[in-house]
């Protein structure tokens, strides 16, 4: 589809942090609500009926999100991922996709979703300009998935979402599986087998200590090397080079030609040195690390009479002062950080 590109103010000027890392990609959380209660992300004891989600007026409007993205594109951001909570719960998401796809410099526009609402929205999202989709799926048996997601869902519905995305032209679909010892590590071989020969790329993710509500313990982390060994024992693998700069997944191909599989080793082999990602929460706070304690609130500026120049200067100050490398320092920390932002709030 041909689209009219919206030019951003000024020339593209990459901004670098104190460790000389450029700002290249942005994750935008469009809602803090979710239709699941994955035990490792939004445990029901904390996110039950009494939990107060962000009120509607606190959320950034699509126009405000697009304005932030336009200013960031002028500072080197070329990749945007929409996430949540569950992003497909945000009404009329394809309209936001269309607005972001029209911004000059944004050439990769992706979505991470639990897939439940994907089948009926995939084509509209693709037509609006979405370029890629990642679907989270932690098991292939209903009983396993229901225990993890703490909701009466069916695997079939998520698989239908993946098929619809591929059918709409969003192939290859990436499938994120968070592997947690004692919960679903036994599901890894079946997941690998299922996605071999499909063109979709399964990515095995180490369980992370994001937030403070999931009761994370190191013993439940299955190191990426262990997961790969389990897969390679049945289907030999060979390492592949990164597809793009700053890619977080380590890629491998099946030697028998069945496709690709990846691992994300945030705990066992952190990649802070090449971390070029900022996060924007649904209520307009910028976080420079997944494990940050505090964000930088853009709303006062966004909702004032200030122009894009002031917004650009604020972003330059935020990124320019960045020195985060939480994962690289985790092993050396004497005790875990007591306060951290929750995953469902900034979207992974
Ligand atoms: N609801 C959408 C979904 O599940 O895809 C998008 C938001 S979710 C927070 C984004 C990703 O973070 C998902 O792939 C999810 O599995 C992952 N995630 C959540 N908590 C995690 C944790 N503690 N460790 C590793 N990954 C986690
Ligand atoms: Fe919801 Fe995604 Fe978190 Fe699961 S991982 S509770 S689907 S936001
Ligand atoms: Fe980036 Fe923070 Fe993760 Fe390190 S810990 S890779 S700085 S988000």
């Amino acid at each position: 589809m041909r689209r009219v590109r919206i030019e951003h103010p000024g020339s593209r000027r990459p901004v670098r942090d104190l460790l000389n890392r450029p700002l290249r990609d942005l994750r935008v959380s469009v809602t803090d609500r979710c239709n699941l209660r994955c035990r490792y992300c939004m445990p029901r004891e904390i996110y039950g009926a009494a939990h107060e989600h962000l009120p509607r007026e606190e959320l950034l409007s699509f126009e405000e999100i697009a304005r932030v993205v336009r200013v960031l594109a002028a500072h080197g951001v070329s990749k945007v991922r929409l996430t949540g909570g569950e992003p497909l719960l945000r009404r009329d998401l394809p309209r936001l996709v269309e607005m972001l796809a029209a911004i000059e410099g944004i050439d990769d526009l992706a979505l991470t979703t639990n897939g439940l609402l994907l089948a009926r929205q995939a084509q509209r999202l693709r037509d609006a300009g979405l370029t890629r989709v990642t679907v989270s799926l932690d098991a292939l048996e209903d009983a396993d998935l229901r225990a993890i997601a703490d909701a009466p869902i069916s695997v079939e519905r998520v698989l239908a979402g993946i098929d619809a995305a591929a059918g709409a032209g969003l192939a290859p679909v990436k499938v994120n599986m968070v592997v947690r010892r004692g919960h679903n590590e036994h599901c890894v071989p079946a997941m690998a087998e299922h996605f071999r020969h499909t063109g979709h790329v399964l990515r095995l993710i180490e369980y992370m200590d994001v937030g403070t509500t999931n009761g994370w313990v190191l013993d439940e982390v299955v190191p990426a090397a262990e997961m790969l060994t389990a897969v390679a024992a049945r289907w030999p693998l060979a390492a592949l080079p990164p597809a793009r700069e700053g890619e977080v997944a380590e890629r491998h191909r099946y030697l028998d030609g069945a496709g690709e599989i990846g691992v994300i080793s945030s705990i066992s082999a952190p990649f802070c040195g090449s971390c070029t990602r900022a996060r924007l929460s649904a209520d307009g706070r910028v976080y420079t690390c997944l494990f940050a304690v505090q964000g930088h609130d853009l709303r006062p500026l966004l909702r004032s009479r200030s122009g894009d120049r002031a917004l650009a200067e604020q972003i330059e100050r935020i990124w320019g002062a960045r020195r985060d490398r939480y994962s690289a320092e985790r092993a050396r920390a004497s005790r875990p950080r007591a306060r951290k932002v929750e995953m469902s709030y900034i979207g992974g």
Side-chain angles (χ1 to χ4, degrees), residues 40-41 83-86 112-114 136 176 178 205-208 210 214 343 347:
Y40 55 71
C41 179
T83 174
E86 175 45 45
T112 301
T113 169
N114 61 31
S136 304
N176 275 2
V178 176
I205 301 179
E206 290 180 353
Y207 174 38
M208 289 189 282
V210 274
N214 61 8
M343 187 74 134

Side-chain angles (χ1 to χ4, degrees), residues 3-68:
R3 16 184 119 260
V4 180
R5 299 294 270 179
I6 312 278
E7 297 207 0
H8 49 61
S11 58
R12 280 175 73 73
R13 200 153 43 90
V15 53
R16 288 184 177 265
D17 70 8
L18 291 171
L19 303 178
N20 203 30
R21 296 168 296 188
L23 172 55
R24 293 260 182 255
D25 57 292
L26 177 72
R27 284 198 174 209
V28 180
S29 172
V30 293
T31 178
D32 63 331
R33 289 167 194 271
C34 189
N35 42 4
L36 297 184
R37 286 292 178 273
C38 302
R39 307 269 337 137
Y40 55 71
C41 179
M42 295 182 81
R44 211 175 271 285
E45 309 83 82
I46 314 275
Y47 295 92
H51 176 74
E52 286 182 24
H53 288 284
L54 292 169
R56 184 75 191 78
E57 65 279 6
E58 301 263 313
L59 300 186
L60 292 192
S61 67
F62 287 171
E63 287 69 22
E64 288 170 330
I65 294 173
R67 185 173 166 210
V68 174

Side-chain angles (χ1 to χ4, degrees), residues 101-324:
I103 294 172
E104 187 193 351
I106 301 302
D107 42 50
D108 190 2
L109 186 51
L111 171 79
T112 301
T113 169
N114 61 31
L116 291 176
L117 302 172
L118 188 55
R120 60 175 130 109
Q121 297 210 50
Q123 193 62 57
R124 269 192 74 204
L125 289 162
R126 175 66 179 151
D127 293 346
L130 194 74
T131 50
R132 294 187 302 127
V133 69
T134 299
V135 176
S136 304
L137 178 64
D138 297 332
L140 276 178
E141 295 292 334
D142 282 344
D144 291 324
L145 190 62
R146 286 173 187 171
I148 295 163
D150 199 7
I153 54 167
S154 76
V155 170
E156 202 185 329
R157 187 155 159 202
V158 181
L159 294 177
I162 294 173
D163 284 350
L170 290 163
V173 176
K174 286 186 180 149
V175 179
N176 275 2
M177 174 184 186
V178 176
V179 181
R180 199 172 164 197
R181 199 179 304 282
H183 293 255
N184 67 337
E185 93 228 79
H186 63 284
C187 306
V188 170
M191 287 283 285
E193 185 161 31
H194 182 88
F195 288 106
R196 280 164 46 81
H197 295 292
T198 59
H200 308 315
V201 180
L202 176 66
R203 300 180 333 154
L204 306 170
I205 301 179
E206 290 180 353
Y207 174 38
M208 289 189 282
D209 52 334
V210 274
T212 50
T213 59
N214 61 8
W216 183 89
V217 285
L218 185 59
D219 287 353
E220 289 184 353
V221 177
V222 183
E226 187 180 324
M227 304 191 231
L228 277 179
T229 305
V231 174
R234 260 178 92 180
W235 304 286
L237 297 169
L240 285 169
R244 64 176 72 80
E245 194 194 340
E247 185 171 57
V248 298
E250 196 188 294
R251 303 167 60 217
H252 296 264
R253 68 179 172 84
Y254 292 106
L255 287 183
D256 63 3
E260 205 181 305
I261 186 165
V263 284
I264 302 186
S265 55
S266 338
I267 305 287
S268 64
F271 30 79
C272 299
S274 58
C275 180
T276 56
R277 181 172 297 168
R279 295 169 162 88
L280 179 66
S281 69
D283 59 348
R285 286 168 208 269
V286 171
Y287 288 82
T288 55
C289 179
L290 181 54
F291 300 92
V293 176
Q294 245 178 340
H296 306 264
D297 194 355
L298 298 184
R299 265 181 328 177
L301 250 187
L302 279 172
R303 293 183 179 176
S304 72
R305 289 172 176 273
S306 311
D308 284 356
R309 189 60 248 155
L311 191 58
E313 282 167 7
Q314 190 180 11
I315 285 161
E316 281 164 26
R317 272 195 302 275
I318 294 168
W319 194 261
R322 176 188 194 237
R323 55 167 81 246
D324 306 279

